[in-house]
């Protein structure tokens, strides 16, 4: 076994076909045995539930090669639990937590050569997903589903790495007040695509979505949660029933409170208080933590004192601690790291 010969330090965040992926089918009321396959193609009926009514959920997590050469995953149990919650909301049969974790392990082991070398900034991104497979013409849940999990090596989510980004306040809503914003379903991300393309065409890196009911409170971007740092060093994260419960955000909150001794507040955040924060960033599996330098709305531009040119000092400390845990440089809280090899 040998690590693939790629330009690891210059990878972008794109899909690359790797050696193996995991597949399991749900039929006759139960999940069948999962298998590894080298075929990346999916064949489904033209009337499959996923094509007609978007019945699908997914997850995203990563495998890392640590400083001592081991291969690990980060808090995969939380991804399994979140996918179960997503499936229930979409009237889909949850894929068992233990089997989810086993599938992750099998796929990482089968694609060991694709796990990037330590210190390159690249990771092996893992995408578990589940979708309705049997024909459904009436509006109702399907009865058959497929769970799949593939791996692909990726670089940083944003092209500028961890340099500060500039975002705009979107004119669109990401999720309905009592909708599906809190689960990881493809339909939520489809809703954000037009807003993202619009933002990019205007020269912005991302959107800030506000609450759809009052457009008063901060929610999230199209694919990441927000974090804010007050002038006295308190970590503040927005709270809303339509925000996805990010594994990274929850981990950052724990790191801040229990490892760095910071005060942490998880609460609704008004847009009109953003100008009072010293630092800001977005966090998620793909982005990890990316500093936020500027927010532009149709009424004002908010620049954060620490973060216009580089990552602010508190955000940087959070970033280095979290990535240090993932890379094996800092001892992880119990249960956070799953050793594959």
């Amino acid at each position: 076994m040998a690590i693939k010969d790629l330009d690891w330090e210059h990878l972008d965040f794109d899909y690359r076909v790797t050696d193996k992926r995991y597949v399991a089918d749900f039929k006759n009321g139960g999940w069948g045995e999962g298998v590894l396959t080298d075929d990346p193609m999916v064949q489904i009926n033209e009337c499959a539930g996923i094509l007609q009514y978007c019945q699908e959920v997914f997850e995203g997590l990563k495998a890392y090669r640590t400083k001592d050469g081991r291969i690990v995953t980060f808090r995969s149990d939380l991804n399994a639990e979140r996918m179960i919650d997503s499936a229930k909301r979409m009237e889909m049969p949850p894929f068992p937590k233990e089997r989810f974790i086993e599938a992750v392990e099998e796929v990482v082991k089968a694609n060991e050569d694709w796990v990037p070398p330590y210190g390159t900034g690249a990771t092996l991104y893992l995408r578990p997903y589940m979708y309705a497979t049997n024909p459904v013409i009436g509006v109702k849940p399907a009865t058959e589903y497929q769970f799949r999990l593939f791996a692909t090596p990726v670089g940083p989510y944003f092209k500028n790495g961890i340099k500060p980004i500039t975002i705009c306040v979107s004119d669109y809503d990401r999720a309905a007040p009592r909708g599906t914003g809190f689960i990881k379903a493809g339909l939520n991300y489809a809703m954000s695509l037009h807003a993202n393309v619009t933002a990019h065409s205007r020269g912005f890196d991302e959107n800030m979505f506000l609450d759809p009911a009052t457009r008063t409170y901060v929610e999230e971007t199209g694919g990441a949660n927000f974090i804010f740092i007050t002038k006295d060093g308190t970590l503040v994260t927005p709270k809303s029933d339509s925000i996805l419960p990010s594994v990274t955000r929850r981990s950052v909150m724990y790191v801040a409170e229990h490892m760095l001794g910071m005060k942490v507040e998880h609460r609704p955040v008004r847009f009109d208080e953003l100008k009072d924060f010293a630092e800001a960033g977005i966090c998620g599996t793909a982005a990890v933590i990316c500093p936020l330098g500027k927010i532009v709305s149709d009424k004002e531009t908010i620049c954060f004192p620490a973060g216009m040119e580089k990552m602010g000092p508190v955000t940087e400390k959070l970033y280095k601690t979290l990535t240090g845990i993932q890379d094996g440089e800092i001892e992880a809280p119990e249960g956070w790291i799953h050793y594959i090899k």
Side-chain angles (χ1 to χ4, degrees), residues 77-104:
D77 57 319
L78 295 189
N79 293 98
E81 292 168 3
R82 189 171 63 181
M83 191 168 191
I84 288 172
D85 292 339
S86 297
K88 289 178 179 178
R89 178 62 176 82
M90 293 291 286
E91 291 296 331
M92 303 170 73
F95 194 69
K97 178 179 177 179
E98 296 75 16
R99 292 194 57 183
F100 180 103
I101 295 172
E102 289 173 2
V104 167

Side-chain angles (χ1 to χ4, degrees), residues 94-322:
F95 194 69
K97 178 179 177 179
E98 296 75 16
R99 292 194 57 183
F100 180 103
I101 295 172
E102 289 173 2
V104 167
E105 183 169 342
E106 286 188 35
V107 169
V108 174
K109 285 182 177 178
N111 294 288
E112 177 184 339
D113 295 354
W114 294 94
V115 181
Y118 166 79
T120 59
T123 54
L124 185 70
Y125 187 79
L126 303 168
R127 171 54 58 83
Y129 61 108
M130 185 170 70
Y131 58 95
T133 56
N134 67 290
V136 180
I137 197 66
V139 181
K140 61 183 178 180
T143 57
E144 297 180 0
Y145 300 86
Q146 186 167 89
F147 171 91
R148 298 179 70 97
L149 194 160
F150 66 81
T152 185
V154 297
Y157 187 72
F158 292 102
K159 293 181 180 179
N160 58 359
I162 59 172
K163 294 180 181 179
I165 61 173
T166 298
I167 68 175
C168 63
V169 176
S170 180
D171 294 328
Y172 301 94
D173 294 328
R174 175 187 158 270
R178 295 177 178 83
T180 57
F182 67 98
I183 67 169
K184 203 166 179 67
L187 55 89
N188 291 333
Y189 294 80
M191 293 288 288
S192 72
L193 294 179
H194 179 64
N196 284 350
V197 170
T198 301
H200 293 161
S201 70
R202 296 171 57 198
F204 297 104
D205 297 293
E206 253 290 5
N207 283 295
M208 170 178 280
F209 290 102
L210 302 180
D211 78 285
T214 70
R215 294 191 62 79
T216 301
Y217 295 95
V218 174
E219 296 243 312
E220 61 174 284
T221 73
N225 283 191
F226 285 105
I227 61 172
F228 301 102
I229 308 297
T230 66
K231 293 174 182 177
D232 66 358
T234 297
L235 171 67
V236 179
T237 59
K239 181 179 181 180
S240 165
D241 290 339
S242 57
I243 292 178
L244 184 74
S246 164
V247 173
T248 304
R249 187 260 299 162
R250 285 179 279 171
S251 301
V252 168
M253 291 172 64
Y254 183 95
V255 165
E257 181 176 5
H258 298 283
M259 300 180 71
L260 300 180
M262 296 172 57
K263 181 180 178 182
V264 174
E265 296 178 359
H266 183 52
R267 60 170 175 80
V269 176
R270 300 189 318 276
F271 180 77
D272 63 13
E273 66 178 300
L274 297 187
K275 62 183 180 296
D276 298 323
F277 291 121
E279 302 177 35
I282 63 172
C283 66
T285 297
V288 189
I289 299 177
C290 182
L292 178 54
K294 185 187 300 183
I295 300 173
V296 179
S297 74
D298 57 358
K299 296 179 180 179
E300 62 182 318
T301 296
I302 300 170
C303 299
F304 297 97
M308 287 297 296
E309 301 298 329
K310 62 179 181 179
M311 186 177 283
V314 179
T315 306
E316 184 177 23
K317 187 179 296 184
L318 290 167
Y319 173 81
K320 287 185 175 179
T321 304
L322 184 64

Side-chain angles (χ1 to χ4, degrees), residues 66 68 70-73 105 109 328 337-341:
T66 64
D68 61 1
R70 302 192 70 173
I71 296 176
V72 304
T73 56
E105 183 169 342
K109 285 182 177 178
I337 299 298
H338 180 67
Y339 292 94
I340 304 296
K341 181 182 177 184

